[in-house]
Structures are given as C-alpha cells and as structure tokens.
Amino acid sequence: QVQLAESGGGLVQPGGSLTLSCVVSGSIFSMNVWAWYRQAPGKEREMVASIGNSGSGKYSDSVKGRFTISRDNAKNTLYLQMSSLRPEDTAVYYCNRVRLTVEADFYSWGQGTQVTVSS
C-alpha cells in the first residue's frame, strides 16, 4: 500500500519561505506524475504544482513565479520550495499523483502539512 508523508510546514511571516517534502513509500514513485495540492479552510482542494519525469514543473496562476516543484526519484521524494509567501497561501498542503486517466485514482491521502502565513 502506498503511503504519502508530507512535512516541512509551519508558521511563516508574509514574504517568507518554506520548503515542503513528501516521501512516498513503495516502488511507484518514478512511474507517476506527482503534484502538490492544498486545501484552505472552507475551500476545495486545489492542485498548485505538478511534475513529471522530465523535471519540468507546471503551476497554477496563483503560485507561478513563487513556488518551485522538484522530485528526486532515487529518494522517492517530492519537494515544494515556496517563497514570497502570502496570507492566501495558508492551507494544508498534500502530495499525490496526478490522475492521468479516470482509472488512475488518487492514492490514500496523507496527513498533510499545515502552512500558515501570518504576521
């Protein structure tokens, strides 16, 4: 069973930076396109960045230019470098694969990591 373990969140002031990590158990890491998702209170979960094995990241407009997604297939680890953080980035951040087909469901969600941007 695939397990996802996010870490690296915390409380940061506006304009600050954080780097999130997601360790994926099992041998499926290199087979998937991975993404970071976030869910703010009262809002639906949204994808903020994704990355395939090419190493090129794709970003939502809300984080483009501020966040950088990367992956290390040897370590089964996904990263999200976040800079110029804003209060509206406050959310629980999760990693999971990108559903490239209808049949490819999400893996069981991890506990996520809380990011709070506040002065």
Side-chain angles (χ1 to χ4, degrees), residues 50-61:
S50 65
I51 186 169
N53 280 319
S54 69
S56 296
K58 296 181 179 180
Y59 303 90
S60 66
D61 289 342

Side-chain angles (χ1 to χ4, degrees), residues 3 15 26 29 57 66 68 78 82-83 87 93 96 117-118:
Q3 292 185 323
F29 187 79
R66 302 187 298 121
T68 302
L78 183 72
M82 307 185 294
S83 61
Y93 285 71
N96 214 312
V117 184
S118 175

